[in-house]
Amino acid sequence: MAHPSQLGFQDAASPVMEELLHFHDHALMIVFLISTLVLYIIVAMVSTKLTNMYILDSQEIEIIWTILPAIILILIALPSLRILYLMDEVTNPHLTVKAIGHQWYWSYEYTDYQEIAFDSYMVPTQDLAPGQFRLLEVDHRMVVPTEAPVRVLVTAEDVLHSWAVPALGVKMDAVPGRLNQTAFIASRPGIFYGQCSEICGANHSFMPIVVEAVPLNFFQDWSTLMLEDA
């Protein structure tokens, strides 16, 4: 998860987030190169008193500074489009979870299991156990198996919400009367935190999301326990 004074992204916990991090580094290097070139040109033009008649009116330079930005945009657009299509791809999910946004909590329904459904409320500050994070911990976590495609159906019951978990590279709007879907693969076990990312009212800051990724055998034990408690 994020920590104070962190400048970069959180560590990737899914293949899509790894692709997003690589694309961020790729685009950032292009921005650095452009900024360095522009800064050099500005300094050179301000500091020198010489002028070159061939630069003032040159067909070749105009061709270069027209074609070069087009090439740079292509180098940015092609990887971006590839990741956009990867993020929209939902093929043969092993598990489907329905996330429903309310004011101001989330509820989850495991549609592959008829009896598994629960609400997820933020744990109040006074009830936090040692080591738990304020404004991020919930009383019931969304548990998923690692290394398995998970589809999340996202909707809302009252106003607009947004189900977002940065480490998994997932962010999907929850719209009343509409069913959106997204997917992810948790590549390692862990606890991943997120928050509602759409301003939804007075307690918008108090409806966190916690996804706990566990190995398949632990997930089977958890689902069995939930069915027994239902």
Side-chain angles (χ1 to χ4, degrees):
M1 63 172 293
H3 56 78
S5 303
Q6 179 174 331
L7 295 179
F9 289 94
Q10 298 182 27
D11 292 338
S14 70
V16 168
M17 190 59 195
E18 291 179 4
E19 293 287 341
L20 289 171
L21 290 177
H22 293 155
F23 175 70
H24 169 265
D25 296 341
H26 167 73
L28 198 61
M29 286 307 301
I30 293 176
V31 170
F32 279 151
L33 292 174
I34 293 173
S35 302
T36 304
L37 176 62
V38 171
L39 181 63
Y40 167 76
I41 293 173
I42 291 174
V43 172
M45 292 183 67
V46 170
S47 60
T48 184
K49 296 181 180 179
L50 302 175
T51 57
N52 190 321
M53 60 179 296
Y54 295 108
I55 292 180
L56 293 177
D57 185 17
S58 174
Q59 196 76 25
E60 290 78 8
I61 288 181
E62 290 184 6
I63 293 173
I64 290 172
W65 71 37
T66 300
I67 294 178
L68 194 59
I71 294 174
I72 292 173
L73 288 175
I74 291 172
L75 291 177
I76 295 174
L78 291 180
S80 176
L81 288 172
R82 173 177 171 270
I83 295 175
L84 281 174
Y85 279 103
L86 284 175
M87 293 176 70
D88 280 341
E89 193 72 25
V90 181
T91 54
N92 300 325
H94 295 178
L95 177 69
T96 298
V97 183
K98 186 177 181 181
I100 306 170
H102 308 265
Q103 288 182 310
W104 287 271
Y105 64 95
W106 293 95
S107 60
Y108 298 99
E109 298 175 1
Y110 287 70
T111 55
D112 300 306
Y113 304 87
Q114 293 182 357
E115 302 296 332
I116 298 183
F118 53 85
D119 296 331
S120 179
Y121 289 88
M122 185 192 76
V123 177
T125 304
Q126 63 271 18
D127 296 335
L128 288 173
Q132 290 185 331
F133 298 104
R134 177 177 171 269
L135 301 182
L136 287 177
E137 194 57 64
V138 296
D139 56 356
H140 293 93
R141 296 169 175 170
M142 172 181 158
V143 181
V144 297
T146 57
E147 299 179 351
V150 178
R151 175 175 58 184
V152 184
L153 304 177
V154 185
T155 187
E157 191 179 63
D158 35 47
V159 298
L160 290 175
H161 300 278
S162 184
W163 198 84
V165 183
L168 297 173
V170 174
K171 184 177 185 293
M172 181 57 65
D173 286 345
V175 183
R178 182 184 177 91
L179 200 62
N180 294 327
Q181 73 171 1
T182 185
F184 65 87
I185 300 174
S187 53
R188 57 185 171 86
I191 300 172
F192 310 110
Y193 295 90
Q195 289 178 302
C196 177
S197 298
E198 188 76 49
I199 296 176
C200 56
N203 292 331
H204 159 69
S205 303
F206 307 109
M207 48 182 302
I209 301 159
V210 182
V211 177
E212 183 174 357
V214 297
L216 181 59
N217 55 332
F218 288 96
F219 176 78
Q220 291 174 334
D221 294 340
W222 173 84
S223 60
T224 302
L225 184 62
M226 291 293 289
L227 287 171
E228 291 175 354
D229 292 341

